[in-house]
Amino acid sequence: MQAQADPFIAPRCDAAIDVLYQDEHLLLINKPSGLLSLSGKHPANKDSVHYRLVQDFPGATLVHRLDFGTSGIMLVALNKTINGALTKQFQDRSIDKSYTALLHGHLSADSGRIELPIAKDVERFPLQKICFATGKPAVSEYRVLERLSTPKTTRVCFTPVSGRTHQLRIHSQQMGHPILGCDLYASDEAFGLAKRLMLHATSIGFAHPVTGERILAESPCPF
């Protein structure tokens, strides 16, 4: 695991947020890696997805978050009513999400399901831990897309059934194949093989809260 600065100060992110879809109720955006979803308490961590969006969309609220290093598609509500309706879909697990990741080493199985409960690691914040006593149920399904050589890595499609903090990162670690570039759960070797966290939110499917139309939006993986 890589040492964490205290307090964590996010490096400057010059990459722009791409708006993939917009109507009067919601946005679908593409978040760059290296940008916070929400502004932090430290004044140096003001820049974030939310901070940028409210400059042009004052009522914007984040229905869900992506980790600082994760890139990809995010769903944004433009008012409180829409936020509530979309939040209920997340709570009901009627929203489908998929992620692309590059894992260290070669996975032996072509697909699988990880069921390991996750809890906060209060002694090693901001880490999470696997805990069968106090952890909340967490389920991740994966499918191998390709196995690469030099170095040996595996590209996978993750479909999280639940949405716990750091779920895909810690589940990958527990499989013995951490995500490349992960500063919290990867070995030094796996961390050093990438300049960023190799995790990208590829797609999201949901029912439009006003029209009821089922929407499937995608963001091509940049790696």
Side-chain angles (χ1 to χ4, degrees):
M1 186 189 75
Q2 309 306 307
Q4 297 297 297
D6 186 20
F8 171 75
I9 304 298
R12 175 174 170 172
C13 179
D14 292 322
I17 295 172
D18 294 326
V19 177
L20 305 175
Y21 172 84
Q22 173 184 346
D23 64 22
E24 60 184 303
H25 309 291
L26 57 86
L27 301 173
L28 284 162
I29 66 164
N30 190 40
K31 172 193 169 302
S33 175
L35 182 64
L36 296 166
S37 289
L38 289 173
S39 302
K41 294 180 180 179
H42 195 286
N45 289 333
K46 181 169 67 173
D47 189 27
S48 68
V49 171
H50 182 255
Y51 176 78
R52 293 187 187 185
L53 289 179
V54 294
Q55 310 306 312
D56 297 317
F57 307 95
T61 56
L62 301 189
V63 185
H64 63 121
R65 306 180 194 180
L66 294 178
D67 286 348
F68 168 74
T70 305
S71 58
I73 200 161
M74 291 183 70
L75 180 57
V76 180
L78 293 182
N79 60 62
K80 290 183 178 180
T81 301
I82 298 300
N83 181 285
L86 292 173
T87 296
K88 187 175 187 306
Q89 290 189 47
F90 272 100
Q91 293 171 342
D92 295 340
R93 295 187 179 177
S94 61
I95 289 184
D96 302 315
K97 294 185 291 179
S98 72
Y99 293 76
T100 300
L102 275 180
L103 306 187
H104 189 234
H106 282 174
L107 275 67
S108 55
D110 290 335
S111 62
R113 182 180 174 95
I114 310 159
E115 298 187 53
L116 294 171
I118 296 174
K120 291 181 179 179
D121 191 335
V122 294
E123 296 180 354
R124 298 194 300 164
F125 178 84
L127 272 68
Q128 305 290 306
K129 63 181 179 179
I130 302 300
C131 182
F132 290 90
T134 63
K136 295 181 180 180
V139 180
S140 305
E141 296 177 344
Y142 68 89
R143 175 173 53 87
V144 170
L145 300 175
E146 61 178 332
R147 294 177 177 86
L148 305 167
S149 301
T150 56
K152 286 186 176 180
T153 56
T154 305
R155 186 184 304 274
V156 301
C157 174
F158 273 119
T159 305
V161 179
S162 52
R164 308 301 177 197
T165 300
H166 297 172
Q167 178 176 312
L168 298 179
R169 300 167 75 178
I170 194 169
H171 276 179
S172 297
Q173 178 206 47
Q174 292 296 306
M175 284 198 298
H177 299 279
I179 300 174
L180 300 190
C182 181
D183 60 342
L184 296 179
Y185 302 100
S187 62
D188 288 345
E189 180 181 1
F191 172 73
L193 286 175
K195 294 182 179 180
R196 54 156 289 185
L197 176 66
M198 301 301 270
L199 181 64
H200 180 78
T202 312
S203 70
I204 188 167
F206 63 100
H208 193 287
V210 175
T211 68
E213 176 188 3
R214 190 71 186 176
I215 294 175
L216 176 62
E218 297 182 348
S219 171
C221 183
F223 53 81

